[in-house]
Amino acid sequence: METLDAYDRAILRELQSDGRLTNAELAQRVGLSAAPCWRRVRALEKAGYIKGYRAEVDRHRIGLGVLAFVRLDAVQISGAELRQLEDAIRAIPEVVSCHYISGAGTFELQVVGRDLAQFSRFAREVLVQLPNVKDLHTSFSLGEVKAAGALPI
C-alpha cells in the first residue's frame, strides 16, 4: 500500500477523531460497506499507517499538573554514548515524548510531573544523572491551546 485514496484518508481522519468506532459506524461514516471497510483498516494497520489505538487520558485528572519542555544537551552526539542516552530516555515514563532538534541542544523532551517540587527532584535525580548529559534548559507550559495531536489528512 503505497498511496492512499479518498476512502483510506477518510478512514484515518475518522479513526483519529474516535478510535472506538465500530467497523459498522466507521463504514457508514466513510461511505463503504462493512467488509471493504474492515479490509481497508487491516491493510492500513499492516502497512504501518495506523500504529495503534489508545485512550487519551486527562493528565490533570490523574494528578500530573506540570508539563515541562526540557532541552537536553548531550556531551557526545554520536556513537554508543548517544544510543545509551536514547535508551535511558525511552525507559523513563515521565518523558512522554522526545525529539532530536536542530539548533542549540540535542533533544527536546516533554516531561510530566505532579507539581513543581516533584519535577525539580526528578530533574536533579533522574534527568541530570542520565548518561552523556551536559546541560538541561526547562520551560513550563502555562496552559494548553491545542494538544490533541490529530494529523491533517
Side-chain angles (χ1 to χ4, degrees):
M1 174 179 266
E2 293 184 26
T3 60
L4 300 176
D5 66 13
Y7 288 115
D8 296 326
R9 287 191 297 277
I11 288 169
L12 292 174
R13 278 193 300 273
E14 292 296 332
L15 288 175
Q16 278 192 125
S17 175
D18 184 357
R20 294 186 66 172
L21 289 172
T22 66
N23 185 60
E25 292 169 326
L26 179 60
Q28 192 266 332
R29 288 187 186 188
V30 301
L32 289 170
S33 60
C37 183
W38 182 84
R39 283 193 296 273
R40 283 175 178 267
V41 170
R42 294 299 168 254
L44 289 165
E45 291 170 348
K46 185 176 179 181
Y49 288 97
I50 298 173
K51 294 172 61 173
Y53 300 87
R54 64 185 62 103
E56 186 176 336
V57 177
D58 184 324
R59 68 180 172 82
H60 295 282
R61 299 282 303 200
I62 62 168
L64 297 172
V66 169
L67 174 62
F69 301 92
V70 179
R71 188 181 76 218
L72 186 147
D73 298 328
V75 175
Q76 298 255 340
I77 57 170
S78 63
E81 293 87 3
L82 187 59
R83 284 189 295 280
Q84 184 182 16
L85 177 56
E86 291 170 356
D87 291 342
I89 290 169
R90 283 187 198 99
I92 303 170
E94 292 86 353
V95 176
V96 295
S97 75
C98 175
H99 300 268
Y100 284 111
I101 58 172
S102 62
T106 308
F107 297 106
E108 183 80 18
L109 309 161
Q110 285 187 14
V111 180
V112 293
R114 284 189 316 276
D115 54 36
L116 288 175
Q118 185 269 333
F119 177 82
S120 178
R121 282 190 306 278
F122 174 78
R124 288 189 319 271
E125 296 171 7
V126 177
L127 295 179
V128 172
Q129 302 302 321
L130 289 170
N132 202 33
V133 169
K134 179 169 65 172
D135 201 6
L136 301 177
H137 303 275
T138 304
S139 299
F140 294 98
S141 171
L142 300 177
E144 292 176 351
V145 175
K146 181 177 180 182
L151 300 171
I153 299 175

